Amino acid sequence: MKYEKIQAPKGVSEYAPPLSAAFEWVRESLISPAKLAGYQLMELPVFEDTSLFSRGVGESTDVVSKEMYTFEDRGGRSITLRPEGTAGVMRAVIEKGLDRGQLPVKVWYSGAFFRAERPQAGRFRQFYQVGIEAIGLDDPAIDAEVIAIADQGFKSLGLKNYRLEITSLGDAQSRAAHRVDLLKFISKLDLDEATAARAAINPLRLFDDKRPEMKAAMAGAPLLLDYLSENSAQNFKAVKAYLDQLGIEYLVNPRMVRGLDYYTGTTFEFIHEGLGAQSGIGGGGRYDGLMEILGGQALSGIGFGLGVDRALLAAQAEGVLVENQFSSDLFIIPLGENQMSACLSIAAKLRTAGIRTEIAFGDRALKGAMKAADKSGSRYVIVLGDSELASGSVELKRMSDGSTRSVKIDQLQSVLLGDL
Ligand code: HAM
């Protein structure tokens, strides 16, 4: 009997060698600036009580109304695979009482997220984010720092062709004043039922409508930025001044609408020029009321989520991934069983010094092993035979130009470290 092959579910992103090394590098590069800034790991479940997202992320969003993977577990509870990270972090911070300790609470996370979107290039049903949240401090300096940390992540990948867009959704007073005029404006539009329903929950969503007729209809709509209270305007000005001082370029986009409903105050998005429709490589902002509606104290917070899959696509589009960037430094070919034990010891010692060392395993002829060395992309190769072990010296071959030099086995470490 012949079994049929089983395929991965539609739209999931997954990484196998050789691309997985680049994925790992992108993920680590994106989050390391946060670690350097004192953010600490939060490792959370990938499934949560459904109400965490319906309440926290908002019923008017596509994420909650159309894209959640929700199911009943064996105990009859409604469970949802996390579509984003912020609500879960809030839930855990409240549950563990971190909000009663030193503020701000500063955490980072990394992992898989799930949205039942229509799959296309750069849009997956399971995708990867790294993110941070800074909770419990209302200060424009921390807004600027959070944005700067995200920017540093993209810069450390070597990305250049992206832009940062920012805006402010103001405080409750600003949004209330704007909402009155926006609803007045919208009431004059001829909206279909679904759009009207969305507008009733969150009228700002109409700015996000991609249909040309809606774009045209919204062209003259009142903009929230023009309704900022004195306090919100001062805050936004201070955030911009800090960004200027840090040399971080940005574009103020008063029509930006984030896909999640909890945002207030400073909000931002990073957009890459080389990715087509799915160009958002990261985004975030402040969320004043989130902790409170999840049953915690009235503490504000700010954070971001960066798309690891999209950042990897952006790195490929900009050609910043260098060939053999992730391959071994040294490939050792033992000529026979006698040499294998020496080879294992040499490799173990070099690896403790941080030198990426591979061994040619299996009973291969020298030619086959050299081919494997070539394929591995290793920078250097040595062959270990009887005469090498007897003399204590090997020929260290540099693969980029084929040049060789004689090196004492016990000096391999210092020679390689000097060269790498
Ligand atoms: P978000 O803008 O929904 O924000 O997602 C952040 C990033 O995740 C996006 O910019 C994008 O790069 C990536 N992303 C989102 N959906 C997909 C998908 N279907 N396929 C591939 N990549 C995707 C949030 O999730 C907020 N929790 C960020 C945040 C943290 N705000 C405050 N704190």
Side-chain angles (χ1 to χ4, degrees), residues 75-193:
R77 289 166 287 254
S78 181
I79 295 292
T80 292
L81 299 184
R82 61 181 181 189
E84 64 96 50
T86 312
V89 168
M90 275 323 111
R91 195 262 313 136
V93 164
I94 299 167
E95 201 169 328
K96 300 197 180 325
L98 297 183
D99 54 326
R100 316 242 161 225
Q102 178 77 27
L103 296 180
V105 177
K106 297 195 302 183
V107 296
W108 68 270
Y109 50 89
S110 165
F113 294 85
F114 307 85
R115 296 182 191 176
E117 300 193 75
R118 204 161 42 78
Q120 64 179 85
R123 188 163 70 193
F124 307 101
R125 292 182 169 174
Q126 173 170 335
F127 59 97
Y128 293 88
Q129 269 188 16
V130 296
I132 70 170
E133 311 294 343
I135 302 146
L137 196 71
D138 218 339
D139 180 342
I142 206 159
D143 294 23
E145 186 184 73
V146 164
I147 293 174
I149 288 170
D151 187 56
Q152 184 54 38
F154 293 127
K155 282 208 178 100
S156 72
L157 291 178
L159 296 184
K160 293 202 172 70
N161 305 338
Y162 68 89
R163 65 177 186 276
L164 163 64
E165 294 190 354
I166 63 170
T167 191
S168 170
L169 300 179
D171 52 15
Q173 184 194 336
S174 322
R175 287 191 302 280
H178 174 247
R179 194 183 161 95
V180 172
D181 283 3
L182 183 59
L183 287 176
K184 233 185 264 168
F185 178 88
I186 288 173
S187 69
K188 296 191 193 116
L189 304 179
D190 183 21
L191 300 179
D192 59 77
E193 210 173 300

